[in-house]
Amino acid sequence: MASTNTLTAEPRSADSRPKALRRAQLVPGVLYGPQFESRSLQFDVRGLTRVLQQAGTSALIELTIDGTEGTEIVLVRDIQRHPVNRAILHVDLYRTQADVAIRLEVPLVQRGEAPVLEQEGVYLNTQLDVLEIECLPRDVPASIEVDLTRLVDMDSAITVADLEIPAGVTVLTPADADVVRPAVAAAEVAEEGLELGE
């Protein structure tokens, strides 16, 4: 399982006002999930910001709620931000269950050097940077690797089917979807066209 980030929350009373919470450097939020009664929570803005930067919406978070025994393993489902200053206004967390599969997106991480880049004017056109998957919480990978050394010439391409997927993970993104393929810069194509027309 991907390593989890840790976050602490406090129960939030029904009569608390968002503006008052934000003045106190707190962010309102909600925790929900199947067979679970939703809970209104509040988070320290600094701790929440740090965890969201690390976890995003694809990494598991170990949540501790003050006054409650044990921890919950959760995913970020929605982050509401101020349209101007991008401050966090509200966060929705989804409570996972150990024996129930979850759907989420995990990042694709490119590794290695593509031999095709040795050709003049060639660059890599990345089509996908995340992969939609389904698996049990314990099987969630931190990322999935894309081996760029497979790109040896202009006819090369890496599709979803070419990726090494960890055991227990089902890929929901179409297998024939391009992840990355070589391309030639527009200026190079135009120059070749001029040479052919001479």
Side-chain angles (χ1 to χ4, degrees):
M1 183 179 79
S3 60
T4 53
N5 301 275
T6 58
L7 179 65
T8 301
E10 299 174 346
R12 175 167 53 94
S13 62
D15 59 353
S16 62
R17 296 290 179 263
K19 285 187 178 180
L21 289 175
R22 286 191 277 274
R23 281 197 298 270
Q25 297 295 296
L26 297 170
V27 176
V30 64
L31 173 65
Y32 67 95
Q35 302 174 5
F36 178 76
E37 186 175 345
S38 297
R39 296 194 62 178
S40 296
L41 304 173
Q42 60 192 38
F43 306 86
D44 173 75
V45 66
R46 291 179 297 275
L48 179 62
T49 300
R50 174 184 55 79
V51 170
L52 292 182
Q53 287 173 342
Q54 295 171 350
T57 56
S58 62
L60 297 171
I61 298 170
E62 185 177 342
L63 177 69
T64 300
I65 303 173
D66 287 353
T68 303
E69 291 186 8
T71 60
E72 303 284 359
I73 302 300
V74 304
L75 281 167
V76 176
R77 278 301 189 222
D78 187 54
I79 306 169
Q80 297 175 26
R81 294 184 182 272
H82 190 282
V84 177
N85 62 23
R86 306 302 295 160
I88 303 169
L89 302 179
H90 190 276
V91 63
D92 290 2
L93 300 178
Y94 179 83
R95 176 181 179 265
T96 68
Q97 294 175 278
D99 58 347
V100 177
I102 53 176
R103 291 188 176 194
L104 71 162
E105 292 182 338
V106 294
L108 294 174
V109 178
Q110 296 182 359
R111 304 289 189 199
E113 297 291 332
V116 70
L117 290 178
E118 296 176 4
Q119 299 180 32
E120 188 174 349
V122 175
Y123 69 98
L124 298 184
N125 186 8
T126 299
Q127 302 291 317
L128 289 177
D129 54 17
V130 296
L131 203 63
E132 187 178 5
I133 66 168
E134 183 176 68
C135 62
L136 295 174
R138 65 173 177 268
D139 294 327
V140 174
S143 61
I144 292 176
E145 189 170 296
V146 181
D147 181 10
L148 297 181
T149 62
R150 298 168 62 101
L151 301 174
V152 296
D153 54 39
M154 292 303 296
D155 294 325
S156 303
I158 297 174
T159 66
V160 170
D162 297 320
L163 301 174
E164 291 191 18
I165 307 301
V169 174
T170 299
V171 176
L172 303 179
T173 304
D176 60 352
D178 277 353
V179 176
V180 59
R181 67 168 54 243
V184 179
E188 296 289 334
V189 173
E191 187 174 320
E192 287 180 11
L194 285 174
E195 290 176 355
L196 290 173
E198 289 177 355

